[in-house]
Amino acid sequence: PAMSLKGSPDFPMRYLVDIQDRKRGADPGPQHVVLWLARNKMPTTMEGRKLDHGHAWDQYIPEEVWRDHPEYLAASADGTRRTFPHKWAVKYCTTNPELVKTFAQGVIKWLDEHPERKSAAISPSDGGDFCECPNCNALITKDPHGKDSRTVAMLSFDNSVARLVAEKHPDRILASYVYYNYMYPPESPVKMAPNLWRVWAPLNYYGWGLQKPVYRKEFPEIGKGWTALTKNLKVP
């Protein structure tokens, strides 16, 4: 008999990471990759529907700007501003209001220049060297293992940036990692900006991490903690 069926996926998007779908010179290969993606109902990165995520702090503030404004940079416990040998390692003082504003302006500029992209990555550069000024240290808590957790500090910074970006681009998404020393959810609820997504990259569970009983036991609860905080959670 005649019938009408309608369905939709249980998740808003799916895609392959690092797929080689960008044309390089006369290489016809990516055309085949794009066709394969279409047949498997996955977007090509060229369409801009991919959720951008990655270590991106070096993208939005030119190196000459933060070198001219050392107050933007992470400080050591004695108040000395840190030096960074190259831009990919830069860490900022995330409680500095002018730094937050300048960073957000950089994200807005990037989105202005990439109208085809639906999202932008805002995760910190990889590794440590985070700011230890009094204002930043005030946001440090302890994770379940008694180690310093910067989750609250990262959420505060990301939310501030996301709200400023939303004033110009309310329909664009910002994505930031759940990673390193900011991988455990906060003990108290944090109101999340609606345009902010968390991307779960739980460092403790990489490789054979879940073979350790303590990590295997905590893993479900950590997932529940983040999903209780926000529905905007992506698992790579």
Side-chain angles (χ1 to χ4, degrees):
M3 64 179 67
S4 176
L5 300 176
K6 183 178 180 179
S8 62
D10 293 329
F11 36 82
M13 66 182 74
R14 65 171 182 165
Y15 58 86
L16 292 176
V17 177
D18 297 328
I19 191 71
Q20 301 297 309
D21 61 342
R22 293 181 180 272
K23 187 174 177 61
R24 292 172 176 83
D27 176 19
Q31 298 175 14
H32 301 295
V33 177
V34 170
L35 179 60
W36 184 88
L37 288 170
R39 287 172 171 167
N40 286 276
K41 297 181 173 60
M42 284 188 281
T44 169
T45 59
M46 302 299 288
E47 292 181 358
R49 284 189 285 159
K50 172 187 171 188
L51 182 65
D52 279 305
H53 58 83
H55 302 291
W57 273 12
D58 63 292
Q59 287 185 202
Y60 305 115
I61 301 179
E63 186 172 353
E64 59 270 21
V65 172
W66 53 259
R67 291 202 184 278
D68 288 341
H69 291 272
E71 71 276 12
Y72 288 179
L73 297 177
S76 298
D78 63 2
T80 305
R81 295 294 165 176
R82 298 212 174 99
T83 59
F84 298 93
H86 53 76
K87 65 177 185 176
W88 299 280
V90 66
K91 287 293 196 301
Y92 299 120
C93 176
T94 56
T95 56
N96 182 315
E98 289 304 312
L99 176 278
V100 173
K101 187 185 303 182
T102 301
F103 189 95
Q105 289 170 347
V107 178
I108 291 170
K109 181 176 182 293
W110 188 89
L111 290 170
D112 288 342
E113 294 170 350
H114 297 81
E116 80 285 359
R117 305 297 278 270
K118 302 296 189 294
S119 61
I122 60 169
S123 295
S125 53
D126 208 354
D129 283 339
F130 287 95
C131 187
E132 296 180 287
C133 78
N135 289 335
C136 287
N137 275 350
L139 299 178
I140 293 178
T141 60
K142 295 295 181 181
D143 70 17
H145 305 286
K147 297 180 179 179
D148 286 349
S149 170
R150 292 191 173 270
T151 295
V152 174
M154 287 299 98
L155 290 177
S156 176
F157 175 73
D158 291 345
N159 273 308
S160 296
V161 170
R163 292 184 179 108
L164 289 172
V165 172
E167 294 175 6
K168 175 72 183 293
H169 294 293
D171 59 334
R172 313 287 271 280
I173 292 170
L174 303 187
S176 189
Y177 281 147
V178 170
Y179 177 68
Y180 190 45
N181 55 11
Y182 43 99
M183 62 163 280
Y184 288 97
E187 293 184 359
S188 301
V190 175
K191 184 175 178 57
M192 303 290 289
N195 60 328
L196 179 63
W197 279 62
R198 312 310 292 173
V199 179
W200 200 15
L203 188 61
N204 287 359
Y205 314 138
Y206 282 12
W208 291 91
L210 288 177
Q211 294 301 310
K212 297 180 179 180
V214 63
Y215 289 160
R216 189 163 61 248
K217 180 180 179 180
E218 74 180 18
F219 184 77
E221 294 305 314
I222 300 305
K224 289 178 183 177
W226 282 110
T227 54
L229 183 70
T230 177
K231 293 181 179 179
N232 296 344
L233 181 70
K234 177 187 178 298
V235 181

